[in-house]
Amino acid sequence: MLRTVLLAAVVASAAAFAPGASFLPRAASRTAAKSSMRMQAGDFSDAVPFLKRPVNLDGSYTGDVGFDPLGFSDVFDLRVLREAELKHGRFAMLAVLGFTVQEFYTFPFFPHMAPVDAHDYCVTAGCGSQVIFWISFVEIFGVVALFETLQGKREPGDFAFDPLGLAKSEAVLEKYRLAEIKHSRLAMIAIGGFIHQYWVTKQTVFEQLGNFKSLA
């Protein structure tokens, strides 16, 4: 049973980061489009081929590969789920960046320590309340944005934030949407791996790469 679950997780993770139709050759892209048009409730999931594709995951959202083994899409609004996925993914990408950079650079007014230990230091030094305050401040805007999404005034996760003007066309914007959702999913897995790795080995990411410590 455990092997089956692990195999499903590995297959789903690989499929989630597989290139989308926009990155396929023209012939393959046409094939993918035809397959999408034939998508019905009885189709199998692209992420987990031996499971049925959830009815509500019809491919309308960028990065949708039919992965929902727990059936959340049958209970919650897809717009809420996509908003939550993007929000947590963006925080995870920032966390991965901060986690790795902190190994090499620390602000002068903070002692140098492992990123995981920095959490305990912030709690004892009183920084935790500031973090909670600013996160709560961000969440207020997130709730307002979510209500606008449910009212049909905005797409999930869209804050019209593009200071560099990268989205020059709808095709380019779709490409970046796909890239963001893939990096978001990868970052959420990565930050969890970073933290648990340190708990088990007491080594940071780059430290373990340079001096691998086996658990055996």
Side-chain angles (χ1 to χ4, degrees):
M1 179 62 183
L2 178 59
R3 293 182 178 178
T4 303
V5 173
L6 291 175
L7 176 61
V10 171
V11 172
S13 299
F17 302 110
S22 60
F23 294 95
L24 296 173
R26 185 170 300 176
S29 181
R30 286 198 299 267
T31 302
K34 291 179 181 178
S35 299
S36 178
M37 292 176 64
R38 292 196 302 267
M39 188 183 301
Q40 298 177 354
D43 290 344
F44 285 93
S45 167
D46 292 335
V48 189
F50 52 84
L51 293 180
K52 291 288 186 179
R53 171 181 282 275
V55 176
N56 292 325
L57 297 183
D58 57 0
S60 57
Y61 279 121
T62 302
D64 176 12
V65 290
F67 181 72
D68 183 22
L70 299 181
F72 287 123
S73 61
D74 296 329
V75 180
F76 302 100
D77 192 312
L78 284 183
R79 294 169 296 180
V80 176
L81 295 177
R82 176 48 62 97
E83 185 85 28
E85 183 178 30
L86 285 172
K87 180 175 69 174
H88 287 87
R90 289 163 180 170
F91 276 120
M93 287 188 283
L94 290 173
V96 167
L97 178 63
F99 201 100
T100 52
V101 169
Q102 190 171 328
E103 289 192 45
F104 304 100
Y105 177 78
T106 304
F107 286 113
F109 41 85
F110 285 110
H112 182 73
M113 62 182 65
V116 175
D117 295 332
H119 169 270
D120 297 334
Y121 172 81
C122 283
V123 172
T124 56
C127 308
S129 57
Q130 297 183 36
V131 173
I132 293 175
F133 171 79
W134 288 110
I135 291 297
S136 301
F137 186 71
V138 171
E139 286 293 337
I140 292 175
F141 287 97
V143 171
V144 173
L146 180 58
F147 276 112
E148 290 183 347
T149 297
L150 295 177
Q151 293 170 358
K153 297 180 180 179
R154 64 187 281 274
E155 289 294 317
D158 183 8
F159 288 93
F161 181 75
D162 185 18
L164 300 180
L166 299 177
K168 300 182 179 358
S169 66
E170 187 61 31
V172 174
L173 178 59
E174 187 67 17
K175 174 184 175 182
Y176 282 118
R177 283 174 177 163
L178 181 60
E180 181 183 35
I181 197 66
K182 287 184 176 180
H183 286 84
S184 293
R185 291 166 179 170
L186 182 60
M188 287 188 281
I189 296 172
I191 192 62
F194 290 173
I195 294 172
H196 285 81
Q197 169 189 289
Y198 183 79
W199 284 345
V200 173
T201 66
K202 297 303 178 184
Q203 288 181 302
T204 55
V205 177
F206 289 99
E207 181 184 358
Q208 190 180 57
L209 287 176
N211 181 27
F212 178 76
K213 182 187 295 184
S214 174
L215 298 179

